[in-house]
Amino acid sequence: MKAVSSNKVKDIITKIENKLINTLGTTLEDATNDDIYKAAAGCIRDDIMAKWADSRKKVEDTGAKKLYYMSAEFLMGRAFSNNLINAGLYDDYRQAFERMGIDFDVITDEEQDAGLGNGGLGRLAACFLDSLATLDLPVMGCGIRYEFGLFKQKIIDGTQIEVEDDWLRDGNVWEVERPELSVEVHFNGYIEEHWTDEGLKIEHKDYNTVVAVPYDVPVIGYKSHTPATLRLWSARSKQRFDFHSFNEGIYEKAMADQAFAEVISKVLYPADDHMQGKMLRLKQFYFLTSATMQLAVKNHKERRGDLHTLPDYAVVQINDTHPTLAIPELMRILMDEEGFGWDEAYDIVSKIFNYTNHTIMSEALECWDENMFKLLLPRIYQIICVLNEKYCNKLRTYYGNDEGKIAYMSIIGNNQIRMANLCIAVCRRVNGVSQLHGDILKEQLFHDSYNLYPQKYLAITNGITHRRWFALANPELCKLVQSHVKGDILKDYTLFEKILPLKDDKAFCKKYDQIKQDNKVRFAKYIEKKQGIKVNPNSIFDVQCKRLHEYKRQLLKCLHIIYVYQQLKKNPDYVTTPITFIFGAKAAPGYARAKDIIRLINSIGDMVNGDPDVKDKIQVVFVENYSVSVAEMLIPAADISEQLSTAGLEASGTGNMKFMMNGALTLGTMDGANVEIHDLVGPENIFIFGATVDEINNMKRYHTYNPGTVFEENPNIRDICNCLIDGELPRVGKRKYSDLYQSLLFGEYGQPDQYFVLYDLPSYIEEYEKVYDKYVNHHDEWVKMAVVNTAKSGFFCSDRTIKEYNEKIWNLKPVK
Ligand SMILES: *Cc1c(COP(=O)(O)O)cnc(C)c1O
């Protein structure tokens, strides 16, 4: 060890000891793990604060344009190790802990995940902040400080049980409350218009007030100068205890006001890719967008005076439609509070906002009941009505009097307010999240708008931050790759490709393969400790982890495991090298079908794991509580990355990118970013199966999909399906998964299964045999393929994604 580094380590120990005594009143000997976590985190925080304040000032002083990245979700995970990596202090802290005789991993386990998101959409927002900060681009991420994040999942008796995620219970070291920046948000009431000397004045009367209090969290980039700020809004009532009403004897009203306010930031809605038209959800979104827009306007006015120049200093990205109300809210502020005319205000608004679409599934497209909306947000409703009227008139000049088309494209229709239509009407740029998804937006979902405004539409493929998903999750592989390239790979993702020739270097491949093996052992220890399950680290780790949704087709994987089981019963040599099928997935609590599939996975597990004929050959494991921290452990251990979505339905996927980078081979459909993985690594380094988007669309258009035919013509498929209902699966009682069986064979509402599970099953089984053969009989080639995947994964670093957004949409300049 270098002498400098050793001094650094000593300094760190001294700092932690001082922190323990000064802020927690304890010593190293007496401290609990939580004390040590808090003290160490406090030390890191101290280092961050000065730099953060400095850079905020620099952004203001230089008048740099700033991005507001608005998102209802930020799935941040833990900050401790990530901050250490980005500050370049990770190894020093690990050594300091070693010197103190404390297990670093046990201490980092004290931190709660910031689980303020459901899945990919929220995680994307988190990766973007890391990349924006690393590239020194000024950004404020704007979200909600949910007191309860996404529920924690327990599996009891094969069934998902949801437990509240009280992540703030022991405090949050990383946040700074900023009560001085609080703003009021108004709900309900009515609107009065009256003419004055200065024209028409709008007055909002008799409203309910909620106070929005910001909490700021620094997001430090990798060796960067300009940390990002994540601003999370928390809801309070105006008077936390209204003494006046207490005295007046209207105590109940004061309590009701408090309840009205504080419930707003209480909990994250746990539905992913599914819209919930609940009043409270609408309140959350208006709360977030109003608070953010008020402060953005106030900030600009204070510093620059003239609001007309706002588009030169601010740009807004809205992550899916959830923050769409920022658009009419900025109109409201400019007109009602700043005295702008409509056209003047609209001119500014139409330059500032941009929209990222994340799904084309109709059940996920956000729309609000007009009557509910009107009651909750009377002024915003008026503004949307005018936006709609003007938009429809514009459409008429183009589409003539094709009123059917206009009704379908309008912002308001069928007593619903359609947020995606509002976005595409007003936003300057609309982007899809992979090349394929961008094409589908142009050709299908937003086709008629695309014809009108082709320049609005673009596709920017998602990415992941390799600081978290490589350096932190897979430190040994990161070190190996880094040792073979010149330059800092964590700063320059293009260096990944430099290891491509090493695919033919036997010594390199051996090391690469050994790291995978070590990661499998690490995961085996983890799952034994957490869930008491023993897995064989010498088996193939076949992993499907992501939210549970029918379109992601965990059910297809279930049917395949049943198939392997049935084959093994006939032929014990069907599998020679054992396979561990690993699932991780949370289901939305109200999504009965998804929860049924979790039950099915665990039933299959019981059938397989308890059968002496097969239990040394295959094993099914369900990892509880899939989350960012679990993903960091699981993904580096995977051999096979299961990406099975029905073609056209996974807009991008980002899990696929994490697996690829960490050397798992993709077994997937031609969907989302899988297509780009395929194009980058070449067809010989990926396993593709199933119908393409065009084939799916044709089957839908000409009604040619008949699951019954697949069933009749293929005895294997028949046996697999029958297993769902013939009573062989344990712990199902009277319910033999007949709902699932029915849905596969007969679909719903007179439509055949819209996810085409049986259609793709034969093709999946066939491709799986190639995967298995490659792993078992040509293992050297397998490792080579994995190396190619890591080498080609640089493209999927979110630094590349952010550079594209910046060139095509934001035009921010780095602040150093
Ligand atoms: C990356 C990630 C996801 C997204 O996974 P997909 O396979 O793209 O759906 C979801 N949840 C967590 C915790 C993740 O880290």
Side-chain angles (χ1 to χ4, degrees):
M1 220 28 70
K2 286 169 284 179
V4 234
S5 157
S6 155
N7 274 337
K8 236 173 158 183
V9 169
K10 264 190 228 145
D11 284 352
I12 290 168
I13 296 173
T14 311
K15 269 206 267 183
I16 293 176
E17 283 173 339
N18 287 341
K19 200 49 127 189
L20 274 171
I21 194 78
N22 292 340
T23 64
L24 297 160
T26 187
T27 61
L28 211 45
E29 285 104 78
D30 296 335
T32 63
N33 287 341
D34 186 53
D35 292 337
I36 296 170
Y37 161 70
K38 283 201 177 116
C43 294
I44 303 166
R45 189 182 112 125
D46 290 348
D47 287 349
I48 295 172
M49 286 298 153
K51 197 179 196 178
W52 189 30
D54 218 41
S55 85
R56 277 202 310 268
K57 190 166 163 358
K58 206 169 295 165
V59 171
E60 301 302 351
D61 290 352
T62 55
K65 187 178 182 183
K66 187 162 87 183
L67 167 66
Y68 291 88
Y69 191 86
M70 299 190 64
S71 179
E73 303 189 5
F74 285 90
L75 188 48
M76 303 297 284
R78 290 176 177 153
F80 186 89
S81 293
N82 198 68
N83 283 341
L84 284 178
I85 286 182
N86 281 355
L89 293 170
Y90 185 77
D91 290 334
D92 295 328
Y93 267 74
R94 272 208 99 107
Q95 276 175 36
F97 274 80
E98 211 168 288
R99 197 79 66 81
M100 292 185 287
I102 298 168
D103 186 335
F104 182 82
D105 296 326
V106 168
I107 298 305
T108 55
D109 226 23
E110 287 292 319
E111 182 177 5
Q112 298 279 328
D113 268 45
L116 308 184
N118 274 284
L121 174 149
R123 186 53 232 174
L124 184 76
C127 284
F128 278 10
L129 292 184
D130 183 85
S131 285
L132 281 153
T134 298
L135 296 169
D136 293 311
L137 299 173
V139 59
M140 180 173 284
C142 305
I144 297 172
R145 184 176 175 269
Y146 301 107
E147 203 178 314
F148 295 90
L150 186 60
F151 65 88
K152 289 189 172 164
Q153 178 195 55
K154 291 220 175 299
I155 301 295
I156 295 175
D157 240 353
T159 306
Q160 169 177 293
I161 305 294
E162 301 92 21
V163 181
E164 81 284 353
D165 171 31
D166 195 0
W167 71 294
L168 291 169
R169 194 184 43 207
D170 300 330
N172 176 6
V173 225
W174 309 110
E175 67 182 12
V176 180
E177 186 182 357
R178 296 204 182 279
E180 74 281 9
L181 297 179
S182 299
V183 294
E184 284 190 10
V185 179
H186 297 163
F187 296 94
N188 306 107
Y190 60 94
I191 305 301
E192 254 181 28
E193 305 180 352
H194 36 103
W195 287 95
T196 67
D197 295 345
E198 291 136 59
L200 186 66
K201 278 272 177 267
I202 302 288
E203 235 186 310
H204 190 178
K205 292 204 151 159
D206 213 14
Y207 47 75
N208 292 315
T209 299
V210 173
V211 178
V213 185
Y215 286 69
D216 288 356
V217 181
V219 178
I220 59 165
Y222 180 68
K223 296 186 179 166
S224 88
H225 310 271
T226 311
T229 297
L230 173 58
R231 174 160 290 171
L232 299 175
W233 293 98
S234 184
R236 296 270 166 77
S237 65
K238 195 163 176 182
Q239 278 142 313
R240 302 209 74 179
F241 182 73
D242 187 342
F243 196 70
H244 175 70
S245 41
F246 183 73
N247 282 341
E248 296 286 301
I250 43 173
Y251 177 64
E252 278 78 9
K253 181 180 179 309
M255 293 305 283
D257 283 354
Q258 185 166 340
F260 178 94
E262 299 190 352
V263 74
I264 290 180
S265 56
K266 192 61 85 181
V267 63
L268 166 75
Y269 275 82
D272 194 42
D273 283 303
H274 195 276
M275 141 84 191
Q276 281 189 317
K278 296 273 191 331
M279 170 96 80
L280 180 57
R281 184 84 161 144
L282 186 57
K283 278 186 195 165
Q284 290 185 331
F285 294 160
Y286 184 63
F287 169 77
L288 161 64
T289 52
S290 176
T292 302
M293 285 300 115
Q294 287 186 55
L295 224 52
V297 167
K298 188 163 168 249
N299 187 49
H300 185 76
K301 249 175 78 172
E302 277 170 13
R303 309 214 179 246
R304 314 278 154 216
D306 182 7
L307 280 170
H308 291 90
T309 61
L310 187 60
D312 300 332
Y313 294 91
V315 58
V316 181
Q317 191 69 36
I318 55 183
N319 193 24
D320 211 326
T321 53
H322 314 137
T324 302
L325 294 176
I327 294 169
E329 174 65 4
L330 184 55
M331 289 294 292
R332 182 192 71 78
I333 296 169
L334 293 176
M335 294 191 302
D336 299 359
E337 290 176 15
E338 303 296 336
F340 280 46
W342 177 277
D343 292 339
E344 221 181 351
Y346 189 80
D347 183 57
I348 293 172
V349 166
S350 63
K351 285 177 183 152
I352 285 186
F353 289 98
N354 305 282
Y355 158 56
T356 305
N357 173 278
H358 285 266
T359 179
I360 63 157
M361 291 188 297
S362 53
E363 66 268 32
L365 292 178
E366 208 185 1
C367 45
W368 299 103
D369 178 81
E370 203 178 340
N371 290 318
M372 177 181 88
F373 195 104
K374 207 186 303 189
L375 268 176
L376 188 69
L377 305 169
R379 179 58 181 149
I380 297 300
Y381 175 72
Q382 287 181 340
I383 292 170
I384 292 179
C385 286
V386 179
L387 282 169
N388 182 48
E389 203 180 295
K390 291 182 184 274
Y391 180 56
C392 289
N393 286 339
K394 231 188 283 180
L395 292 176
R396 281 189 189 96
T397 62
Y398 190 82
Y399 285 115
N401 290 324
D402 186 346
E403 286 297 327
K405 186 158 275 178
I406 286 151
Y408 148 88
M409 292 177 72
S410 63
I411 300 167
I412 305 176
N414 287 330
N415 300 314
Q416 303 266 300
I417 303 179
R418 305 156 176 163
M419 301 316 255
N421 285 0
L422 173 50
C423 284
I424 63 175
V426 180
C427 287
R428 204 172 77 88
R429 293 286 181 266
V430 175
N431 76 287
V433 289
S434 69
Q435 298 310 303
L436 179 72
H437 175 61
D439 290 341
I440 291 173
L441 292 186
K442 290 180 193 174
E443 289 158 19
Q444 299 174 36
L445 189 66
F446 300 144
H447 178 70
D448 295 307
S449 158
Y450 171 67
N451 283 341
L452 242 164
Y453 308 107
Q455 75 288 353
K456 258 191 196 186
Y457 286 85
L458 42 132
I460 304 177
T461 303
N462 279 169
I464 55 166
T465 169
H466 60 307
R467 269 78 59 180
R468 182 177 292 268
W469 296 109
F470 196 54
L472 187 158
N474 203 343
E476 293 310 314
L477 190 59
C478 183
K479 272 182 208 143
L480 178 68
V481 171
Q482 179 65 71
S483 72
H484 285 84
V485 300
K486 283 201 230 29
D488 188 345
I489 194 162
L490 295 188
K491 204 76 180 167
D492 179 3
Y493 62 86
T494 64
L495 295 175
F496 271 97
E497 193 130 17
K498 298 276 189 249
I499 66 157
L500 189 57
L502 294 170
K503 71 184 194 316
D504 299 313
D505 179 329
K506 286 223 167 62
F508 179 86
C509 286
K510 193 165 169 222
K511 283 188 203 150
Y512 184 100
D513 199 29
Q514 185 59 48
I515 290 167
K516 176 64 75 184
Q517 189 55 38
D518 295 344
N519 290 336
K520 289 162 78 167
V521 171
R522 179 180 76 160
F523 176 77
K525 283 187 185 144
Y526 168 87
I527 196 78
E528 178 161 16
K529 187 168 161 221
K530 285 265 158 137
Q531 288 174 238
I533 299 170
K534 274 195 170 30
V535 303
N536 175 2
N538 296 314
S539 63
I540 302 171
F541 280 16
D542 175 348
V543 182
Q544 186 173 25
C545 58
K546 48 182 72 248
R547 279 304 286 265
L548 212 140
H549 205 293
E550 285 165 285
Y551 85 83
K552 292 176 181 281
R553 298 201 295 191
Q554 282 91 353
L555 187 50
L556 176 61
K557 187 67 216 175
C558 286
L559 298 180
H560 173 250
I561 300 171
I562 293 174
Y563 172 77
V564 175
Y565 174 75
Q566 291 174 340
Q567 293 308 108
L568 266 174
K569 290 298 254 186
K570 290 183 238 170
N571 169 19
D573 292 330
Y574 183 69
V575 168
T576 49
T577 298
I579 312 172
T580 306
F581 300 107
I582 303 173
F583 291 90
K586 287 179 183 172
Y591 190 176
R593 175 64 52 80
K595 294 184 91 170
D596 242 16
I597 294 172
I598 290 182
R599 219 162 45 83
L600 175 65
I601 294 168
N602 288 305
S603 277
I604 297 172
D606 282 359
M607 174 175 79
V608 166
N609 305 346
D611 185 333
D613 292 348
V614 305
K615 71 178 181 47
D616 296 326
K617 295 288 176 65
I618 56 175
Q619 184 182 3
V620 179
V621 174
F622 193 98
V623 182
E624 270 179 355
N625 198 44
Y626 186 60
S627 56
V628 170
S629 291
V630 171
E632 287 164 9
M633 180 70 63
L634 177 53
I635 292 173
D639 295 305
I640 304 172
S641 159
E642 299 276 359
Q643 306 299 336
L644 313 183
S645 56
T646 310
L649 296 184
E650 187 75 271
S652 164
T654 48
N656 46 3
M657 303 167 184
K658 300 168 195 163
F659 280 103
M660 172 204 195
M661 187 176 282
N662 287 284
L665 299 189
T666 305
L667 169 53
T669 49
M670 278 299 228
D671 197 20
N674 298 351
V675 176
E676 288 158 74
I677 296 177
H678 166 273
D679 295 349
L680 276 164
V681 300
E684 68 282 10
N685 292 304
I686 190 169
F687 299 94
I688 297 292
F689 75 98
T692 61
V693 174
D694 287 343
E695 284 163 1
I696 298 271
N697 283 344
N698 277 325
M699 283 190 275
K700 282 187 183 159
R701 185 170 307 136
Y702 303 109
H703 305 285
T704 50
Y705 176 42
N706 185 354
T709 316
V710 185
F711 183 86
E712 296 297 333
E713 289 174 357
N714 190 327
N716 287 330
I717 302 279
R718 239 181 293 154
D719 291 343
I720 296 167
C721 291
N722 285 336
C723 179
L724 294 177
I725 50 166
D726 67 6
E728 197 177 350
L729 285 168
R731 209 209 311 100
V732 287
K734 277 184 214 108
R735 295 163 65 198
K736 293 175 183 164
Y737 303 106
S738 47
D739 287 359
L740 294 174
Y741 176 87
Q742 292 276 329
S743 79
L744 290 167
L745 274 157
F746 308 108
E748 266 165 321
Y749 312 112
Q751 303 270 38
D753 165 33
Q754 55 175 318
Y755 304 106
F756 297 83
V757 174
L758 292 189
Y759 184 86
D760 277 348
L761 182 55
S763 153
Y764 181 83
I765 288 172
E766 195 186 319
E767 196 63 24
Y768 198 90
E769 290 182 350
K770 292 185 199 157
V771 175
Y772 183 77
D773 176 66
K774 185 68 87 183
Y775 188 96
V776 173
N777 300 318
H778 309 275
H779 196 70
D780 292 351
E781 281 174 46
W782 178 280
V783 178
K784 243 188 219 188
M785 291 168 74
V787 172
V788 173
N789 272 265
T790 300
K792 291 287 186 180
S793 69
F795 176 78
F796 295 108
C797 291
S798 42
D799 296 3
R800 187 272 311 151
T801 312
I802 289 301
K803 280 186 181 157
E804 271 190 55
Y805 273 87
N806 198 38
E807 278 159 25
K808 294 174 182 164
I809 305 177
W810 306 327
N811 303 119
L812 309 167
K813 294 202 177 54
V815 174
K816 299 207 177 176

